[in-house]
Amino acid sequence: MRSKLIAGNWKMNGSLAANQDLLLAIAQGLGTPSCNVAVCVPSLYLAQVQHVCASSPIAWGAQDMSCFEIGAYTGEISASMLRDFGVRYVLVGHSERRQYHGETDEQVATKVQRALAAGITPIVCVGETLAQREAGLTADVVKRQLAAVIHANGHCISEVVVAYEPVWAIGTGKTASPEQAQEVHAMLRLQLLAASKQADRISILYGGSMNPANAVSLLAQPDIDGGLVGGASLKANEFLSIVAAASQ
Ligand code: PGA
């Protein structure tokens, strides 16, 4: 049985004051959730989030990390540095990293290796653009993105979390229908099972305009094991509603 995970992706939003308010409101409304809950925050705020969330059920994560271990990589943050701040998860290969920072499948695969070596669970993001979907390339694209990670990580693949995020649904208010998302999730599940017998325990999250109104039907799909939530994770009441939907 896979446990559900709702992970917020704050992206480049927040301030010391706003984070404090948001985290306290989430912690207060959360009680004892029956699913896993995490927030992936700008790395600069990890110390704050660690402090505020230490005795709450909220886990915390980063939004990216270096594919190098240590050394002359100005501006980079390593997996072991994240580990120093109690980070449980790290987003890897988010489409905004691939699109604006030219991250390649190989770099994503290396980051996954480094995260696992540091004892951090990578949330590996895959997804197609609108043009790719319209050209009938969805399966090719997401399989290629995942194959690079499987290839580099062998049987350790069962330690990752995967997030399917159609690029055309991110921040646009357009969501994949539950059936569209389930179709891709089932395909990813088969690809993972072919790589590892343990793959049945890998959580595959859906991301892309998940909100309180669509969360229940998305999360009811057999291969949708949670959500990676951007915009709605910045509002405590919306985030809590999505967590409640995952706890049903
Ligand atoms: P969104 O973002 O929920 O605002 O669409 C999701 C994501 O990019 O992880």
Side-chain angles (χ1 to χ4, degrees):
M1 177 72 183
R2 295 181 292 271
S3 47
K4 287 213 162 49
L5 166 64
I6 299 297
N9 174 10
W10 289 4
K11 309 195 181 190
M12 198 173 70
N13 293 289
S15 66
L16 286 172
N19 302 347
Q20 176 88 6
D21 290 349
L22 178 57
L23 291 168
L24 291 181
I26 294 172
Q28 211 163 41
L30 209 51
T32 310
S34 55
C35 68
N36 295 313
V37 178
V39 289
C40 296
V41 307
S43 287
L44 199 58
Y45 293 125
L46 284 169
Q48 179 197 19
V49 176
Q50 180 180 33
H51 180 72
V52 177
C53 296
S55 53
S56 84
I58 307 170
W60 51 96
Q63 299 173 8
D64 183 36
M65 51 166 271
S66 178
C67 51
F68 301 107
E69 216 170 332
I70 191 169
Y73 302 103
T74 302
E76 295 267 59
I77 294 174
S78 71
S80 59
M81 292 172 185
L82 296 180
R83 191 64 240 168
D84 265 351
F85 289 88
V87 160
R88 169 110 45 100
Y89 300 102
V90 59
L91 304 182
V92 178
H94 189 280
S95 65
E96 287 152 15
R97 301 292 317 170
R98 295 180 191 261
Q99 189 180 347
Y100 305 137
H101 302 272
E103 241 175 58
T104 64
D105 292 341
E106 288 65 36
Q107 285 169 325
V108 171
T110 306
K111 289 182 183 194
V112 170
Q113 281 177 317
R114 295 245 183 266
L116 289 174
I120 298 171
T121 301
I123 300 179
V124 182
C125 304
V126 300
E128 82 288 2
T129 63
L130 184 57
Q132 289 165 335
R133 175 162 281 263
E134 286 175 350
L137 294 173
T138 299
D140 288 356
V141 171
V142 298
K143 280 187 179 172
R144 189 205 69 223
Q145 290 172 334
L146 188 58
V149 175
I150 291 173
H151 178 72
N153 288 275
H155 67 275
C156 294
I157 197 67
S158 59
E159 306 301 320
V160 311
V161 169
V162 173
Y164 168 55
E165 296 203 306
V167 178
W168 49 271
I170 294 177
T172 57
K174 287 185 198 148
T175 328
S177 69
E179 295 73 25
Q180 277 174 325
Q182 167 59 26
E183 190 185 352
V184 177
H185 281 233
M187 194 175 67
L188 295 172
R189 174 91 55 214
L190 283 180
Q191 187 180 5
L192 291 163
L193 277 169
S196 162
K197 288 193 188 72
Q198 316 269 344
D200 216 22
R201 70 171 205 232
I202 299 176
S203 293
I204 308 180
L205 315 183
Y206 169 80
S209 298
M210 189 181 257
N211 60 42
N214 60 33
V216 173
S217 54
L218 284 162
L219 293 167
Q221 300 298 313
D223 287 295
I224 300 186
D225 309 311
L228 182 55
V229 184
S233 73
L234 298 171
K235 297 183 188 123
N237 57 344
E238 294 193 10
F239 190 62
L240 287 166
S241 298
I242 296 173
V243 170
S247 308
Q248 284 178 5

